[in-house]
């Protein structure tokens, strides 16, 4: 730019003479222009980023919200849960999962919901929570709700924090809840007791323990209405008996509460107040255990299916159910029982699907299953002991602060390649030298104006112009070269670091993933790599170029 301007200036008219005044004032003006021009491309890209981010945030903020009108909360002390002709779907465009559900749940009653997998049991609870999209009907829920989801929701905190869940810790109540939820024994095994930290998504607890912690949280919350989505699915038969007797059932801690229990355990059905049978999103039957059994309809079918699927492994108490069933269905029992059995055998793929979908509910469906979950419970002590040694699972992240060690720089430069680093420095040296020379040359040139003979000498002027051009060109070339080498070197360094990191990650033991929050790993790979890629390049370039410029300026002055 400087060359072009000076060139135009001297060539346009022979009376134009480049003197010190003109030359250096224009040079400093060009320098002022330099930074804004260099930043201009960045402004464009940041502008684009800005627009995209705004769009994303907008989309996020304008996403669908739960419609507060879905569920009414009118006082209704005798029937806290009322559903009239409710039809629900998972989203506006989906077809409905629940059709024409009408339901009254009396205060302090225990209602069981049974049905095949995918019949809409969990959906019904979600609907009562207001998570589903209501197409028609009326829902009224009165009272504080506690919800135990089908797959336990565990926070990355201590067991105690997970159970008290922001409520004040009252030791007596807490211990009672632990005892009722059969957690006392499990907590003794953990080295940190109830202060053991549970990893992200509860990785150091077994499925059954998670479910019980989740249940304990609900019990501790002391709500009015309990929605329990298959809380007995991942625990052993004797533990589920304990949970039912001490927590859920008519003798349990929750006996004064309204409870809706989704379950696959037929064992407990005789003890509930009412049973609702769901099939394909509709209520097919409703009544007490004996009423439904007498009807010999859908519910009897369900029992029969359950019984025939696990004939050999039935617990002692289930035998009673079979007897009753036999009595009610008479000769049909044997016939249909065998039909169902052969059906389940031929539909074994369907059976597998059903089991996986139900999140390994019904642990006693198959013998292998039972023994596995039991051995899981037994093995748990060892595995958690090893883990529990640490007591605190997720270590807090410590960022290094203060001075960066020289070793880190050394590592980084090694990663970038020492040869390229030297080349960069050399190129910077050369470009600065030429920059210095062209300044000196300009000084010489402007001194010419003091000498009238030299001022009017066109040959001299052309030489001055030519050399100035040559110097400028060399400077530009070397600046370009060093930029290119620098970028490649840092790119190489960053890639090497990334590859090393990826390599380590892939080879890391599973326990690393268990104890390191995913977010932290993501951060390493996104934010920190970004720093190595972009910020470092920018800063190194700035550092080198500015220090050379400072040297040049000092020499020139
Ligand atoms: N979060 C969800 N989003 C969309 N569809 C779902 C969701 N959860 C369940 N469904 C659908 O709702 C139907 C009923 O499922 P669900 O209520 O989970 O059955 P159940 O609890 O009786 O096994 C299934 O067809 C299932 O695909
Ligand atoms: Mg379910």
């Amino acid at each position: 730019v400087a060359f072009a301007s000076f060139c135009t200036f001297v060539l346009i008219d022979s009376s134009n003479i480049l003197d010190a005044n003109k030359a250096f004032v224009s040079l400093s003006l060009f320098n002022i222009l330099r930074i804004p021009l260099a930043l201009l491309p960045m402004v464009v890209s940041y502008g684009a980023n800005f627009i995209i981010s705004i769009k994303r945030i907008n989309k996020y903020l304008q996403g669908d919200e739960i419609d507060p009108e879905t569920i009414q909360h009118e006082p209704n002390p005798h029937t806290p849960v009322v559903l009239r002709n409710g039809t629900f779907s998972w989203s506006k465009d989906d077809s409905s999962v629940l059709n024409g559900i009408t339901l009254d749940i009396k205060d302090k009653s225990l209602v069981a919901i049974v049905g095949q997998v995918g019949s809409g049991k969990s959906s019904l609870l979600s609907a009562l929570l207001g998570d589903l999209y209501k197409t028609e009907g009326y829902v009224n829920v009165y009272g504080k709700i506690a919800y135990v989801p089908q797959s336990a929701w565990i926070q990355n905190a201590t067991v105690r924090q997970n159970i008290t869940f922001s409520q004040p810790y009252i030791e007596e109540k807490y211990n009672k809840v632990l005892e009722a939820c059969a957690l006392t024994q499990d907590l003794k095994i953990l080295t940190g007791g109830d202060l053991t930290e549970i990893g992200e998504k509860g990785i150091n607890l077994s499925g059954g323990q998670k479910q019980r912690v989740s249940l304990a949280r609900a019990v501790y919350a002391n709500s009015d209405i309990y929605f329990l989505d298959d809380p007995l699915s991942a625990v052993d038969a004797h533990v589920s008996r304990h949970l039912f007797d001490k927590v859920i059932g008519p003798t349990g801690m929750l006996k004064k509460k309204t409870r809706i229990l989704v379950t696959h355990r037929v064992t407990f059905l005789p003890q509930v107040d009412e049973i609702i049978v769901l099939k394909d999103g509709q209520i097919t039957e409703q009544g007490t255990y004996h009423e439904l059994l007498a009807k010999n309809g859908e519910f009897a079918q369900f029992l029969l299916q359950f019984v025939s699927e696990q004939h050999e492994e039935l617990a002692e108490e289930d035998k009673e159910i079979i007897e009753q069933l036999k009595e009610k269905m008479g000769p049909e029992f044997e016939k249909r029982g065998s039909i169902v059995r052969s059906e389940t055998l031929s539909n074994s793929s369907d059976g597998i699907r059903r089991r996986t979908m139900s999140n390994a509910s019904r642990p006693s469906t198959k013998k292998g299953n039972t023994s596995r979950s039991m051995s899981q419970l037994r093995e748990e002590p060892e595995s958690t002991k090893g883990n529990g040694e640490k007591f605190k699972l997720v270590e807090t992240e410590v960022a290094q602060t203060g001075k960066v060690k020289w070793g880190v720089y050394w590592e980084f430069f090694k990663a970038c390649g020492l040869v390229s680093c030297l080349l960069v420095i050399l190129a910077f040296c050369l470009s600065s030298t030429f920059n210095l020379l062209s300044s000196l040359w300009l000084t010489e040139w402007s001194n010419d104006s003091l000498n009238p003979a030299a001022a009017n000498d066109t040959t001299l002027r052309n030489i001055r112009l030519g050399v100035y051009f040559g110097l400028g060109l060399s400077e530009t070339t070397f600046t370009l070269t060093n930029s290119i080498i620098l970028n490649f070197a840092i790119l190489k360094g960053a890639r090497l670091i990334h590859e090393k990191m990826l390599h380590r990650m892939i080879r890391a033991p599973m326990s690393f993933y268990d104890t390191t929050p995913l977010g932290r790993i993501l951060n390493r790979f996104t934010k920190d790599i970004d720093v190595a890629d972009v910020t470092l390049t920018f800063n190194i370039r700035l550092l080198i170029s500015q220090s050379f410029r400072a040297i040049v300026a000092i020499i020139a002055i």
Side-chain angles (χ1 to χ4, degrees):
V1 175
F3 170 74
S5 328
F6 291 148
C7 207
T8 324
F9 176 69
V10 276
L11 291 183
I12 212 162
D13 191 346
S14 54
S15 64
N16 278 347
I17 291 162
L18 192 68
D19 51 18
N21 238 340
K22 290 199 182 86
F24 289 102
V25 169
S26 11
L27 266 192
S28 64
L29 288 178
F30 291 144
N31 265 336
I32 293 173
L33 258 182
R34 208 175 174 133
I35 291 176
L37 277 180
L39 289 181
L40 194 64
M42 238 154 59
V43 170
V44 174
S45 77
Y46 276 124
N49 272 353
F50 166 75
I51 292 172
I52 292 169
S53 300
I54 283 279
K55 272 189 191 151
R56 282 195 199 148
I57 293 174
N58 244 340
K59 196 171 159 206
Y60 181 70
L61 289 180
Q62 288 175 358
D64 281 345
E65 280 179 28
I66 291 180
D67 181 7
E69 300 294 304
T70 309
I71 299 213
Q72 256 76 50
H73 295 285
E74 287 153 16
N76 191 349
H78 296 301
T79 38
V81 178
V82 177
L83 236 164
R84 290 269 167 273
N85 199 23
T87 299
F88 301 90
S89 57
W90 275 101
S91 73
K92 271 180 200 167
D93 326 305
D94 278 3
S95 57
S96 55
V97 282
L98 295 170
N99 291 303
I101 304 275
T102 296
L103 183 74
D104 284 302
I105 291 178
K106 292 193 188 62
D107 190 31
K108 300 189 179 48
S109 65
L110 170 58
V111 176
I113 301 181
V114 296
Q116 295 293 350
V117 169
S119 53
K121 304 181 297 298
S122 304
S123 305
L124 178 60
L125 292 188
S126 302
L128 291 175
L129 289 172
D131 278 352
L132 256 61
Y133 184 74
K134 184 176 80 178
T135 5
E136 57 179 306
Y138 165 82
V139 190
N140 190 44
V141 179
Y142 172 63
K144 193 174 143 202
I145 301 172
Y147 173 55
V148 179
Q150 190 159 11
S151 46
W153 181 83
I154 298 287
Q155 268 198 320
N156 184 356
T158 64
V159 178
R160 185 184 293 183
Q161 282 164 345
N162 259 293
I163 292 175
T164 57
F165 202 59
S166 80
Q167 300 231 3
Y169 170 71
I170 304 162
E171 192 170 351
E172 196 188 342
K173 175 181 167 193
Y174 179 75
N175 286 337
K176 236 169 90 188
V177 171
L178 283 189
E179 176 56 38
C181 293
L183 277 168
T184 323
Q185 206 55 38
D186 301 79
L187 289 183
K188 273 196 196 129
I189 289 159
L190 299 170
T191 359
D194 62 348
L195 295 178
T196 308
E197 187 170 323
I198 310 182
E200 203 177 18
K201 301 201 194 94
I203 35 102
N204 50 341
L205 293 184
S206 76
Q209 287 171 328
K210 268 190 269 186
Q211 227 169 23
R212 274 173 291 150
V213 168
S214 177
L215 182 65
R217 180 193 304 142
V219 177
Y220 195 84
N222 197 17
S223 304
D224 307 317
I225 306 174
Y226 281 82
F227 294 157
L228 310 167
D229 199 346
D230 223 347
L232 308 176
S233 62
V235 294
D236 282 11
H238 70 276
V239 180
S240 68
R241 166 54 69 189
H242 178 107
L243 289 181
F244 191 82
D245 289 343
K246 296 277 171 63
V247 184
I248 304 166
T251 53
M253 279 182 85
L254 301 180
K255 59 177 182 255
K256 299 251 170 67
K257 314 283 185 183
T258 311
R259 290 143 293 162
I260 303 182
L261 171 70
V262 171
T263 188
H264 279 103
R265 299 262 172 177
V266 293
T267 322
F268 307 122
L269 292 182
Q271 284 166 273
V272 306
D273 300 323
E274 194 181 7
I275 299 170
I276 294 171
V277 184
L278 271 184
K279 191 181 184 189
D280 300 330
Q282 279 172 322
I283 296 181
T284 49
E285 280 186 311
Q286 197 171 354
T288 64
Y289 177 75
H290 292 287
E291 279 169 23
L292 291 184
L293 206 58
K295 256 195 194 164
N296 197 357
E298 201 66 49
F299 179 66
Q301 280 297 319
F302 175 79
L303 279 187
L304 193 58
Q305 165 119 25
F306 180 79
V307 164
S308 56
E309 266 182 19
Q310 40 161 321
H311 218 295
E312 289 95 43
E313 303 104 32
L314 283 179
E316 213 33 59
E317 35 200 358
D318 292 336
K319 295 258 160 66
E320 204 178 305
I321 295 176
I322 302 184
E323 288 309 315
Q324 289 171 338
L325 203 58
K326 235 179 208 162
E327 214 171 275
K328 283 282 177 311
M329 298 181 88
E332 215 193 340
F333 175 77
E334 278 304 316
K335 206 177 92 222
R336 281 170 70 179
S338 57
I339 291 172
V340 175
R341 209 173 310 158
S342 58
E343 262 176 15
T344 43
L345 276 181
S346 63
N347 284 355
S348 55
S349 61
D350 181 49
I352 289 168
R353 187 184 65 96
R354 198 179 298 140
R355 267 199 302 282
T356 39
M357 270 182 70
S358 67
N359 235 346
S361 51
R362 284 187 282 177
S364 52
T365 336
K366 290 275 177 290
K367 215 167 209 159
N369 220 346
T370 333
S371 56
R372 196 191 44 139
S373 56
M374 281 175 63
S375 65
Q376 235 175 29
L377 266 188
R378 252 182 275 118
E379 274 165 21
E380 198 57 32
E382 276 112 60
S383 63
T384 29
K385 227 179 231 158
N387 237 342
E389 229 99 88
K390 275 191 274 164
F391 184 82
K392 193 158 162 41
L393 206 59
V394 181
E395 278 152 44
T396 32
E397 194 172 14
V398 214
Q400 296 253 3
T401 47
K403 227 173 104 186
V404 183
K405 290 198 205 77
W406 286 108
V408 177
Y409 288 118
W410 179 242
E411 278 298 314
F412 183 72
F413 288 129
K414 255 199 340 219
C416 295
L418 291 176
V419 181
S420 347
C421 290
L422 287 180
L423 278 180
V424 168
I425 305 268
L426 188 70
F428 261 114
C429 272
L430 287 173
S431 74
S432 311
T433 317
F434 283 113
N435 181 289
L436 180 65
L437 285 179
S438 63
S439 299
L440 292 178
W441 189 256
L442 207 59
T443 326
E444 273 304 303
W445 188 355
S446 43
N447 286 343
D448 286 353
S449 58
L450 303 178
N451 178 352
N456 295 323
D457 184 350
T458 31
T459 350
L460 185 65
R461 193 196 64 196
N462 285 348
I463 292 172
R464 293 270 187 227
L465 212 55
V467 172
Y468 189 65
F469 174 70
L471 290 175
L473 194 68
S474 315
E475 189 199 338
T476 321
T477 319
F478 282 112
T479 313
L480 204 65
T481 328
N482 75 42
S483 285
I484 291 171
I485 300 176
L486 183 69
N487 277 321
F488 272 111
I490 291 186
L491 202 63
K492 188 172 150 229
R495 188 178 296 150
L496 209 75
I497 291 174
H498 180 263
E499 260 163 24
K500 262 191 190 166
M501 198 155 84
L502 193 63
H503 187 81
R504 291 270 164 87
M505 286 312 276
I506 290 171
R507 267 140 216 272
M510 262 342 255
S511 62
F512 172 77
Y513 291 95
D514 288 348
T515 53
T516 314
L518 261 186
R520 199 177 290 174
I521 298 176
L522 274 182
N523 238 341
R524 278 304 87 75
F525 273 94
T526 49
K527 179 77 207 305
D528 292 359
I529 282 288
D530 180 65
V531 169
D533 275 353
V534 180
T535 321
L536 259 182
T537 325
F538 187 76
N539 286 344
I540 288 185
R541 203 214 319 266
L542 210 64
L543 173 75
I544 302 183
S545 64
Q546 292 306 322
S547 36
F548 274 108
R549 193 176 294 177
I551 296 172
V552 169
I554 290 169
I555 296 176
I557 291 167

